[in-house]
Amino acid sequence: METIDKLKQYVEQQLGDDTTGHDYTHIQRVVALAKTISKQTENADLLIVLTAAYLHDVIDDKLIDDTYDKQKEVQSKLVQLDYTSAQIDEVMDIITHMSYSANLKHHYELSINGQIVQDADRLDAIGAIGVARAMYFGGHFGDTIYDPEQMPRNDMDKSQYREHTTVINHFYEKLFKLPDLMNTPVAKEMADRRSQYMHDFVREFKDEWQGIH
């Protein structure tokens, strides 16, 4: 798709220098996962799925200060690429409502295309890559790896969630919860295996921390 090729270039320019684990390689993995899920999901619109998968982190408030201006920029880019108003509306609805933090206090109902992209993004946050990204993200912000005295938090709003904690606590506060939040059957199946890897990792990490192994 020529449109997607042009979109790729824009997204790579936006995220190519990211050092938080939300770089262009993350986008490429999310796109690949979204394609896999779409093939096994009825009524998926691949153009919408791919567009939202490529753009979902360009407007992320973890990465940029002015989300309003960035959203306007993304909308303008989609107009330039000849997306229809309806297509732009759906893409913007997906990328502004799919994040974990946006759904802490209110669960947004996404279109099937949005559910696919949300699943793909969440799958890339768990498993072996999820472990690596959690450590990478925490290191970027100078977070403590682990503190046995600091308990994981529950029932947070978005502002509380954005306050940094230990890397290991992040598994309990978010990553271990993601498999149960998958929308599509194929993503649920993929998440089960990735989840087991994470649980095994954290269990081994804590044993090594205590000098058991």
Side-chain angles (χ1 to χ4, degrees):
M1 299 179 182
E2 184 179 352
T3 298
I4 293 297
D5 287 339
K6 291 179 180 178
L7 193 65
K8 286 182 191 177
Q9 296 173 11
Y10 168 73
V11 173
E12 189 167 13
Q13 290 171 356
Q14 298 295 309
L15 300 174
D17 296 329
D18 177 83
T19 56
T20 71
H22 299 82
D23 58 359
Y24 189 64
T25 61
H26 161 64
I27 298 299
Q28 291 175 308
R29 292 191 303 272
V30 171
V31 168
L33 285 163
K35 287 179 180 178
T36 298
I37 298 168
S38 292
K39 289 176 183 177
Q40 300 179 56
T41 305
E42 291 184 3
N43 302 318
D45 182 330
L46 191 58
L47 177 61
I48 298 297
V49 168
L50 294 180
T51 302
Y54 274 110
L55 289 171
H56 77 277
D57 272 341
V58 172
I59 62 155
D60 194 325
D61 62 4
K62 291 193 301 295
L63 311 178
I64 60 170
D65 295 325
D66 193 335
T67 56
Y68 178 81
D69 280 353
K70 187 58 70 173
Q71 287 177 31
K72 292 300 181 185
E73 178 184 303
V74 167
Q75 288 174 309
S76 296
K77 186 66 180 179
L78 293 176
V79 170
Q80 292 172 16
L81 294 175
D82 295 324
Y83 284 78
T84 68
S85 295
Q87 288 173 325
I88 294 172
D89 287 346
E90 183 175 0
V91 168
M92 295 308 297
D93 183 69
I94 292 169
I95 65 177
T96 55
H97 293 114
M98 63 176 273
S99 72
Y100 181 77
S101 61
N103 287 272
L104 282 169
K105 290 297 183 181
H106 176 81
H107 178 69
Y108 289 99
E109 292 293 335
L110 299 175
S111 66
I112 187 59
N113 301 312
Q115 291 176 37
I116 290 168
V117 179
Q118 186 179 60
D119 281 356
D121 186 41
R122 289 176 171 179
L123 281 168
D124 200 58
I126 60 177
I129 285 177
V131 169
R133 289 183 66 212
M135 294 296 177
Y136 192 68
F137 184 84
H140 175 89
F141 288 101
D143 297 341
T144 302
I145 295 178
Y146 179 50
D147 179 356
E149 301 301 317
Q150 188 174 344
M151 293 296 102
R153 302 163 297 171
N154 291 301
D155 195 30
M156 294 174 284
D157 60 23
K158 186 171 182 177
S159 63
Q160 292 168 324
Y161 173 74
R162 284 283 185 256
E163 295 173 1
H164 285 266
T165 182
T166 72
V167 175
I168 294 300
N169 277 359
H170 185 61
F171 286 87
Y172 294 94
E173 294 174 356
K174 176 185 177 180
L175 305 185
F176 287 160
K177 298 178 181 180
L178 293 181
D180 288 337
L181 299 176
M182 296 296 166
N183 302 291
T184 60
V186 60
K188 290 178 188 295
E189 185 176 339
M190 295 170 76
D192 285 344
R193 183 176 57 81
R194 294 187 181 216
S195 178
Q196 186 61 56
Y197 182 93
M198 286 194 304
H199 281 279
D200 290 344
F201 169 81
V202 171
R203 184 164 45 250
E204 176 68 17
F205 178 96
K206 288 185 173 182
D207 285 349
E208 291 181 13
W209 187 276
Q210 298 174 59
I212 294 173
H213 293 321

